Amino acid sequence: MAHIMFSPPYIAAEQAAQSLREHGSAVLRPEDFAAWIGASLPQLHALDQDWNDLPPDAFLKDSGRYRSRRHSCFVAEAGSLQQVPHRAHWQPVEYNALHGGMQRMFDPMHEATTQSPVWELMLQKLAELSDQVFGSAGLQRWFVESHQFRIDTTDGIGRPTPEGAHRDGVDLVAVILVNRQGVKGGETRVFEASGPSGQRFTLTEPWSIMLLDDARMIHETTPIQPAEPGGVRDTLVLTYRRGAFQGADLQDGTP
Protein backbone atom coordinates (compact mmCIF):
# COMPACT_ATOMS: atom_id res chain seq x y z
CA MET A 1 0.00 0.00 0.00
CA ALA A 2 1.30 3.43 -0.92
CA HIS A 3 2.13 5.69 2.01
CA ILE A 4 -0.36 8.56 2.24
CA MET A 5 0.64 11.92 3.69
CA PHE A 6 -1.87 14.57 4.69
CA SER A 7 -0.88 18.23 4.40
CA PRO A 8 -0.71 20.36 7.55
CA PRO A 9 -3.76 22.60 8.19
CA TYR A 10 -1.82 25.84 7.87
CA ILE A 11 -3.39 29.11 8.99
CA ALA A 12 -2.23 32.73 8.90
CA ALA A 13 0.07 33.64 11.79
CA GLU A 14 -2.19 36.45 12.98
CA GLN A 15 -4.95 33.86 13.52
CA ALA A 16 -2.84 31.71 15.88
CA ALA A 17 -4.26 33.04 19.16
CA GLN A 18 -7.85 32.76 17.95
CA SER A 19 -7.28 29.24 16.63
CA LEU A 20 -5.75 28.14 19.95
CA ARG A 21 -8.74 29.54 21.85
CA GLU A 22 -11.33 28.02 19.53
CA HIS A 23 -9.72 24.77 18.43
CA GLY A 24 -6.81 24.15 20.79
CA SER A 25 -4.19 24.11 18.02
CA ALA A 26 -2.63 26.08 15.17
CA VAL A 27 -0.07 25.26 12.45
CA LEU A 28 2.00 27.94 10.69
CA ARG A 29 4.05 27.87 7.50
CA PRO A 30 7.80 28.49 7.86
CA GLU A 31 7.82 31.85 6.10
CA ASP A 32 4.78 33.03 8.09
CA PHE A 33 6.34 31.90 11.35
CA ALA A 34 9.58 33.74 10.58
CA ALA A 35 7.80 36.97 9.67
CA TRP A 36 5.52 36.67 12.71
CA ILE A 37 8.47 36.61 15.13
CA GLY A 38 10.18 39.47 13.27
CA ALA A 39 12.91 37.40 11.63
CA SER A 40 13.77 35.79 8.31
CA LEU A 41 13.97 32.14 7.34
CA PRO A 42 17.74 32.37 6.76
CA GLN A 43 18.09 33.58 10.36
CA LEU A 44 16.19 30.54 11.60
CA HIS A 45 18.13 28.18 9.35
CA ALA A 46 21.36 29.56 10.82
CA LEU A 47 20.44 27.55 13.92
CA ASP A 48 20.17 24.26 12.00
CA GLN A 49 23.78 23.18 12.47
CA ASP A 50 23.27 22.93 16.23
CA TRP A 51 21.28 19.72 15.66
CA ASN A 52 24.43 18.03 14.31
CA ASP A 53 25.94 18.05 17.80
CA LEU A 54 23.30 16.53 20.08
CA PRO A 55 24.46 13.92 22.63
CA PRO A 56 22.61 10.58 22.82
CA ASP A 57 19.60 10.42 25.12
CA ALA A 58 20.82 8.25 28.01
CA PHE A 59 17.40 7.89 29.63
CA LEU A 60 15.34 5.97 27.06
CA LYS A 61 13.58 3.15 28.90
CA ASP A 62 12.89 1.20 25.72
CA SER A 63 16.68 0.69 25.33
CA GLY A 64 16.56 2.57 22.02
CA ARG A 65 19.51 4.41 20.50
CA TYR A 66 17.50 6.52 18.08
CA ARG A 67 17.23 9.81 20.02
CA SER A 68 19.74 12.58 20.73
CA ARG A 69 18.89 15.78 22.54
CA ARG A 70 19.82 18.92 24.47
CA HIS A 71 17.73 20.86 26.98
CA SER A 72 17.79 24.36 28.48
CA CYS A 73 15.37 26.47 30.49
CA PHE A 74 14.34 30.12 30.49
CA VAL A 75 11.96 32.53 32.18
CA ALA A 76 10.04 35.05 30.05
CA GLU A 77 8.33 37.96 31.76
CA ALA A 78 7.28 41.49 30.77
CA GLY A 79 9.30 41.57 27.59
CA SER A 80 12.46 40.08 29.09
CA LEU A 81 14.02 36.66 28.63
CA GLN A 82 16.48 35.08 31.05
CA GLN A 83 18.18 31.71 30.84
CA VAL A 84 18.14 30.00 34.25
CA PRO A 85 20.85 27.78 35.76
CA HIS A 86 20.91 24.39 34.11
CA ARG A 87 18.36 22.02 35.59
CA ALA A 88 16.94 18.56 35.10
CA HIS A 89 13.83 17.87 33.06
CA TRP A 90 11.06 16.28 35.12
CA GLN A 91 7.49 15.20 34.38
CA PRO A 92 4.97 13.34 36.51
CA VAL A 93 3.92 9.85 35.44
CA GLU A 94 0.42 11.22 34.77
CA TYR A 95 1.82 13.03 31.73
CA ASN A 96 4.65 10.71 30.74
CA ALA A 97 3.97 7.10 31.64
CA LEU A 98 7.30 5.94 30.21
CA HIS A 99 9.75 8.50 31.59
CA GLY A 100 7.71 10.30 34.26
CA GLY A 101 9.09 10.61 37.77
CA MET A 102 12.72 10.70 36.55
CA GLN A 103 15.15 13.56 37.05
CA ARG A 104 16.67 13.64 33.56
CA MET A 105 19.71 15.87 33.30
CA PHE A 106 20.51 16.44 29.64
CA ASP A 107 23.41 18.46 28.24
CA PRO A 108 22.55 22.16 27.83
CA MET A 109 22.07 23.88 24.52
CA HIS A 110 25.00 25.74 22.96
CA GLU A 111 25.36 29.42 23.82
CA ALA A 112 25.69 30.21 20.11
CA THR A 113 22.02 29.30 19.82
CA THR A 114 20.59 30.54 23.11
CA GLN A 115 22.38 33.90 22.84
CA SER A 116 21.44 34.54 19.21
CA PRO A 117 19.01 37.40 18.50
CA VAL A 118 16.60 35.17 16.58
CA TRP A 119 16.36 32.83 19.56
CA GLU A 120 15.18 35.66 21.81
CA LEU A 121 12.75 36.90 19.16
CA MET A 122 11.21 33.43 18.90
CA LEU A 123 10.86 32.78 22.61
CA GLN A 124 9.54 36.27 23.32
CA LYS A 125 6.91 36.05 20.58
CA LEU A 126 5.67 32.73 21.90
CA ALA A 127 5.52 34.25 25.39
CA GLU A 128 3.36 37.04 23.98
CA LEU A 129 1.11 34.43 22.39
CA SER A 130 0.88 32.59 25.70
CA ASP A 131 -0.14 35.87 27.37
CA GLN A 132 -2.89 36.36 24.80
CA VAL A 133 -4.30 32.87 25.14
CA PHE A 134 -3.68 31.92 28.77
CA GLY A 135 -2.64 34.94 30.82
CA SER A 136 -2.75 38.68 31.30
CA ALA A 137 -0.79 40.50 28.61
CA GLY A 138 2.65 41.45 29.87
CA LEU A 139 1.93 40.38 33.45
CA GLN A 140 2.42 36.62 33.33
CA ARG A 141 5.70 34.89 34.15
CA TRP A 142 6.40 31.99 31.80
CA PHE A 143 8.65 29.06 32.63
CA VAL A 144 10.04 27.88 29.31
CA GLU A 145 11.70 24.55 28.58
CA SER A 146 13.53 24.06 25.29
CA HIS A 147 14.22 20.60 23.87
CA GLN A 148 16.33 19.92 20.80
CA PHE A 149 15.67 16.44 19.39
CA ARG A 150 17.21 14.38 16.62
CA ILE A 151 15.48 11.08 15.83
CA ASP A 152 17.58 8.86 13.59
CA THR A 153 16.93 5.63 11.72
CA THR A 154 20.31 3.94 12.16
CA ASP A 155 18.68 0.91 13.79
CA GLY A 156 15.74 0.92 11.36
CA ILE A 157 13.03 2.68 13.36
CA GLY A 158 13.08 5.94 15.31
CA ARG A 159 10.33 6.96 17.70
CA PRO A 160 9.68 10.70 18.07
CA THR A 161 7.23 10.07 20.93
CA PRO A 162 8.11 6.76 22.59
CA GLU A 163 5.69 7.61 25.42
CA GLY A 164 2.80 7.49 22.94
CA ALA A 165 -0.08 9.96 22.76
CA HIS A 166 0.34 12.41 25.61
CA ARG A 167 0.04 15.83 27.16
CA ASP A 168 3.06 17.62 28.61
CA GLY A 169 1.65 19.19 31.78
CA VAL A 170 2.17 22.78 30.61
CA ASP A 171 0.10 25.57 29.04
CA LEU A 172 1.50 26.02 25.53
CA VAL A 173 3.41 23.45 23.48
CA ALA A 174 5.26 24.50 20.31
CA VAL A 175 6.62 21.74 18.07
CA ILE A 176 8.92 23.05 15.32
CA LEU A 177 10.19 20.87 12.51
CA VAL A 178 13.82 21.86 11.93
CA ASN A 179 14.82 19.19 9.41
CA ARG A 180 13.39 16.07 7.82
CA GLN A 181 15.67 14.13 5.51
CA GLY A 182 15.65 10.60 4.15
CA VAL A 183 12.75 9.29 6.24
CA LYS A 184 9.20 8.09 5.85
CA GLY A 185 6.50 8.14 8.49
CA GLY A 186 6.53 10.72 11.26
CA GLU A 187 2.86 11.58 11.00
CA THR A 188 1.61 14.04 13.61
CA ARG A 189 -1.67 13.17 15.31
CA VAL A 190 -3.55 15.70 17.42
CA PHE A 191 -6.89 15.10 19.08
CA GLU A 192 -9.08 16.42 21.88
CA ALA A 193 -8.25 15.30 25.39
CA SER A 194 -11.93 15.14 26.29
CA GLY A 195 -13.57 14.39 22.96
CA PRO A 196 -13.41 12.29 19.78
CA SER A 197 -12.26 14.93 17.30
CA GLY A 198 -8.76 14.98 15.89
CA GLN A 199 -6.61 15.35 12.81
CA ARG A 200 -3.51 13.85 11.27
CA PHE A 201 -0.89 15.42 9.04
CA THR A 202 2.84 15.31 8.32
CA LEU A 203 5.14 18.26 8.91
CA THR A 204 7.64 18.32 6.04
CA GLU A 205 8.70 21.97 5.69
CA PRO A 206 11.64 23.03 7.87
CA TRP A 207 10.66 25.63 10.47
CA SER A 208 6.96 24.98 10.21
CA ILE A 209 5.41 25.06 13.68
CA MET A 210 2.52 23.36 15.47
CA LEU A 211 1.06 25.13 18.51
CA LEU A 212 -1.07 23.34 21.10
CA ASP A 213 -3.18 24.20 24.13
CA ASP A 214 -1.75 21.37 26.22
CA ALA A 215 -4.72 21.15 28.60
CA ARG A 216 -7.10 20.51 25.70
CA MET A 217 -5.08 18.50 23.19
CA ILE A 218 -3.26 15.17 23.15
CA HIS A 219 -0.54 14.65 20.57
CA GLU A 220 1.90 12.09 19.21
CA THR A 221 4.14 11.49 16.20
CA THR A 222 4.32 8.07 14.59
CA PRO A 223 7.67 6.25 14.16
CA ILE A 224 9.98 7.05 11.28
CA GLN A 225 11.79 4.58 9.02
CA PRO A 226 14.70 5.19 6.64
CA ALA A 227 13.85 6.15 3.07
CA GLU A 228 17.59 6.47 2.44
CA PRO A 229 20.70 5.86 4.57
CA GLY A 230 21.21 8.34 7.38
CA GLY A 231 17.60 9.50 7.57
CA VAL A 232 16.82 11.90 10.45
CA ARG A 233 14.02 14.05 11.82
CA ASP A 234 15.05 17.12 13.83
CA THR A 235 12.64 19.10 15.98
CA LEU A 236 12.63 21.89 18.53
CA VAL A 237 9.99 21.61 21.25
CA LEU A 238 9.26 24.64 23.42
CA THR A 239 6.88 24.48 26.37
CA TYR A 240 5.43 27.41 28.34
CA ARG A 241 4.05 26.92 31.85
CA ARG A 242 2.68 29.28 34.49
CA GLY A 243 3.69 29.12 38.15
CA ALA A 244 6.93 27.14 38.05
CA PHE A 245 8.89 24.54 36.18
CA GLN A 246 7.57 21.03 36.64
CA GLY A 247 9.45 19.42 39.48
CA ALA A 248 10.68 22.77 40.84
CA ASP A 249 9.94 21.61 44.39
CA LEU A 250 12.33 18.68 43.84
CA GLN A 251 15.29 20.85 42.84
CA ASP A 252 16.77 23.22 45.41
CA GLY A 253 17.53 26.77 44.36
CA THR A 254 15.22 26.86 41.32
CA PRO A 255 12.46 29.39 40.61
Side-chain angles (χ1 to χ4, degrees), residues 40-145:
S40 66
L41 267 180
Q43 284 179 290
L44 289 172
H45 280 298
L47 305 179
D48 293 358
Q49 60 184 348
D50 209 358
W51 273 257
N52 293 324
D53 185 33
L54 302 184
D57 186 335
F59 296 94
L60 283 170
K61 282 190 173 181
D62 64 0
S63 301
R65 298 181 297 175
Y66 51 82
R67 185 160 77 180
S68 302
R69 66 190 296 178
R70 289 184 183 273
H71 170 250
S72 289
C73 295
F74 307 81
V75 172
E77 181 180 23
S80 68
L81 180 71
Q82 178 183 1
Q83 186 168 358
V84 302
H86 194 51
R87 53 182 294 114
H89 176 53
W90 185 89
Q91 293 175 291
V93 293
E94 290 82 2
Y95 291 110
N96 190 327
L98 185 61
H99 298 115
M102 300 173 63
Q103 293 277 7
R104 292 183 284 168
M105 182 68 82
F106 301 108
D107 284 6
M109 295 177 60
H110 290 309
E111 286 189 8
T113 292
T114 62
Q115 299 300 314
S116 66
V118 72
W119 181 259
E120 183 168 356
L121 285 173
M122 177 167 53
L123 267 64
Q124 287 280 36
K125 188 65 177 182
L126 291 171
E128 292 176 17
L129 177 67
S130 298
D131 278 338
Q132 294 174 34
V133 178
F134 306 106
S136 301
L139 301 178
Q140 189 66 56
R141 194 180 195 201
W142 294 104
F143 294 83
V144 185
E145 295 199 49

Side-chain angles (χ1 to χ4, degrees), residues 20 126 129-130 134 170-174 211-212 214 238-240:
L20 281 165
L126 291 171
L129 177 67
S130 298
F134 306 106
V170 298
D171 291 291
L172 179 76
V173 176
L211 302 161
L212 298 173
D214 187 61
L238 300 167
T239 64
Y240 286 68

